Amino acid sequence: MIIACTMPIVRSMSTERSPQLLLLCMGLILRCTATSDVSSTARPGHLKPFGHSEPLHAVDECEGFPTVSELFENNVFGKRPLLMKNAAKSHPAFQRWNDDYLRLKNVSALMKVRTAKKQSGPKVPALRIQLGEFLERYQTEELYMVNPAPASLLSDVILPKPLQCEAVTPSITESIFWFSSGDSKSNVHLDQGENIICIYAGMKRFFLIDPFALVNGQPPLHNATAYETLDIDSVDFDKYPTLAGVEYYRADVAAGDCFFIPVEWIHQAQSFDRNVAVNFFFDLRMIHRERLATCPPSYDLALTADQFDYGGAESLKTLRYNLLNLVKDGDIRPNDLAVFIRSLREVNPQNSSLRITQLATNAVKFLDKDADQTVNTEDIRRLTDEELDKFRHFVRQHKDANENGEEDSTVQQPETCRRKTDEP
């Protein structure tokens, strides 16, 4: 690169032996040297597994669960991962979940099972089989169970301490059961919410990227979805040049540990040995920060995770969550809400476009708490459960007339993430 830059100057010097030209030449050589690009393939980590380049940072760590205020102030609002050592060793699942015990659970529901342990690359088909059949096959086949956790298994899982607070529990959106024989590898991804995962057998290794650390003055990754198909065992910096300058964090989460991953943190996970885990996603936008001061410091070991409902398509919590997802890219306007309303199961897909547009316009007026003609995040957060239930009922009662010419005006009681023993 330097030769190409300086050759014209050298030819000029042969005819005009000027000291000024000599100085100019030297200056250009220095400039070209300073600005020449270093090939990304020369950077450490090229064609190495994801996360295998220096420097490698450790995540924050504590013994057991912190208090609710500590976790939220330092890690959730502070957007820092946290390894909570030995936090799940008090859970019955940590002691009980061997294969023989899980067979006795006799889970009859069909569970989603991936047919490849390595996620990056082309998608592979999934199976739906019972847990008993999975237990007969998983040690000899490329199977990885990833399924919403059944209540019969959650009876052995104590709800993590930071999620037991009444100010936090309604924000839980989903609980997932993870089970493999080990050697599974996820793609590079972002989670759908704040994430607390507890390991009951084996070990999971996480490589994470801080989305707020700048690389050459820029965020490390602009679009995490663009990296979901990269080969995690051989990262090509020519194809993914922004990964060449990334600094990684690593967390080894052993059996009995829990790990918090902030929603924005890009990461990849690997499983070792027989591996069983349960995680909980929760939505920070559904939590009122000022209410966290009311959370008790105690940890109720009798409060198992099966005592709660975690949403579902019909719940108010899921409706609020979906509305918040809709508004995250900007204020909601009638056209946006029309698309959303069409996607709801409660709405007859045969509704006319005009009818849907009219419904969406009225729905914006209903949701617009500050009367600024749009719906924003604060509008959704300020909706009480009663108001959100009225919105759901408002949408439902505007179905097309049934065959008798009557509209369905069935009123559903509000559903939130609550203890199953509670009254609605």
Side-chain angles (χ1 to χ4, degrees):
M1 183 171 182
I2 296 174
I3 294 174
C5 179
T6 59
M7 282 301 290
I9 304 298
V10 173
R11 286 196 293 269
S12 297
M13 287 176 60
S14 65
T15 57
E16 300 180 26
R17 301 179 182 276
S18 166
Q20 289 83 0
L21 285 176
L22 178 61
L23 292 173
L24 176 62
C25 176
M26 294 302 296
L28 287 173
I29 290 173
L30 290 173
R31 175 178 291 183
C32 291
T33 303
T35 58
S36 61
D37 293 331
V38 177
S39 171
S40 60
T41 58
R43 302 292 296 272
H46 176 59
L47 299 182
K48 300 291 184 182
F50 182 86
H52 286 66
S53 61
E54 299 293 339
L56 192 61
H57 303 289
V59 300
D60 298 345
E61 184 177 318
C62 68
E63 181 66 24
F65 286 119
T67 65
V68 175
S69 60
E70 286 173 340
L71 177 70
F72 274 84
E73 292 303 322
N74 298 333
N75 301 96
V76 181
F77 294 117
K79 303 184 186 303
R80 300 279 301 177
L82 178 65
L83 176 58
M84 295 165 279
K85 298 293 295 181
N86 303 309
K89 285 190 174 179
S90 59
H91 295 195
F94 176 73
Q95 299 292 337
R96 299 174 180 172
W97 277 7
N98 57 48
D99 286 2
D100 289 337
Y101 177 84
L102 291 174
R103 284 190 185 92
L104 293 175
K105 279 292 193 179
N106 195 28
V107 178
S108 59
L110 295 178
M111 311 272 275
K112 185 176 180 180
V113 176
R114 297 171 180 168
T115 56
K117 293 183 181 179
K118 181 178 175 180
Q119 274 188 265
S120 63
K123 288 187 177 182
V124 295
L127 303 175
R128 288 197 175 274
I129 58 177
Q130 292 182 335
L131 178 59
E133 181 180 348
F134 175 83
L135 288 167
E136 298 300 320
R137 298 171 56 180
Y138 83 105
Q139 291 284 11
T140 57
E141 298 181 43
E142 286 280 312
L143 299 180
Y144 188 14
M145 180 171 285
V146 181
N147 194 83
S152 58
L153 296 181
L154 289 178
S155 62
D156 291 329
V157 175
I158 301 171
L159 194 67
K161 179 180 176 180
L163 302 180
Q164 290 192 355
C165 175
E166 291 184 358
V168 178
T169 303
S171 72
I172 305 173
T173 57
E174 196 170 20
S175 175
I176 304 295
F177 179 64
W178 308 79
F179 191 0
S180 76
S181 61
D183 199 31
S184 65
K185 299 178 181 180
S186 77
N187 57 10
V188 179
H189 65 284
L190 292 171
D191 286 330
Q192 63 185 20
E194 313 290 339
N195 184 2
I196 292 179
I197 184 168
C198 296
I199 313 299
Y200 299 110
M203 188 267 281
K204 286 189 184 291
R205 175 168 294 157
F206 293 86
F207 291 102
L208 307 98
I209 297 173
D210 181 354
F212 307 102
L214 299 181
V215 179
N216 298 321
Q218 299 293 327
L221 298 178
H222 295 286
N223 181 6
T225 58
Y227 296 84
E228 290 181 352
T229 57
L230 68 79
D231 186 347
I232 54 179
D233 291 324
S234 181
V235 179
D236 188 341
F237 288 167
D238 284 338
K239 188 174 181 180
Y240 302 99
T242 56
L243 288 175
V246 162
E247 297 183 6
Y248 295 93
Y249 287 74
R250 172 175 147 176
D252 287 351
V253 189
D257 296 344
C258 295
F259 185 43
F260 167 69
I261 307 172
V263 66
E264 295 93 344
W265 280 60
I266 300 154
H267 59 279
Q268 187 265 333
Q270 303 174 17
S271 298
F272 298 87
D273 304 318
R274 177 182 177 274
N275 207 275
V276 188
V278 171
N279 84 292
F280 297 87
F281 290 118
F282 62 101
D283 186 355
L284 184 59
R285 297 167 302 180
M286 297 171 66
I287 297 173
H288 293 274
R289 191 169 186 167
E290 62 276 8
R291 292 186 58 200
L292 296 174
T294 66
C295 296
S298 59
Y299 187 23
D300 185 353
L301 299 182
L303 195 57
T304 51
D306 64 314
Q307 300 178 48
F308 294 83
D309 293 312
Y310 300 107
E314 298 294 328
S315 76
L316 290 180
K317 181 181 61 179
T318 301
L319 177 58
R320 190 189 303 272
Y321 178 76
N322 289 336
L323 285 169
L324 285 168
N325 273 338
L326 184 65
V327 81
K328 70 181 179 181
D329 295 324
D331 294 342
I332 302 176
R333 299 181 184 277
N335 286 345
D336 305 317
L337 202 55
V339 175
F340 174 74
I341 289 173
R342 277 198 177 280
S343 71
L344 295 177
R345 289 197 309 182
E346 296 93 340
V347 177
N348 189 328
Q350 301 304 316
N351 270 319
S352 67
S353 296
L354 178 59
R355 188 180 181 87
I356 289 290
T357 300
Q358 292 171 339
L359 176 58
T361 300
N362 291 332
V364 166
K365 294 177 182 178
F366 184 92
L367 297 172
D368 184 13
K369 304 289 285 186
D370 53 14
D372 64 353
Q373 309 304 313
T374 61
V375 179
N376 54 41
T377 299
E378 191 58 30
D379 288 327
I380 304 300
R381 288 190 59 185
R382 288 169 58 190
L383 286 169
T384 66
D385 283 345
E386 290 74 20
E387 289 171 327
L388 199 59
D389 190 49
K390 287 180 181 178
F391 169 76
R392 181 173 62 179
H393 177 54
F394 173 77
V395 171
R396 283 176 171 167
Q397 71 180 356
H398 283 78
K399 290 181 181 180
D400 280 349
N402 61 25
E403 59 183 306
N404 297 320
E406 300 173 348
E407 291 184 336
D408 181 1
S409 58
T410 303
V411 177
Q412 298 280 334
Q413 290 297 321
E415 299 176 43
T416 60
C417 182
R418 59 176 186 273
R419 294 191 68 167
K420 292 180 179 178
T421 55
D422 292 345
E423 291 299 324

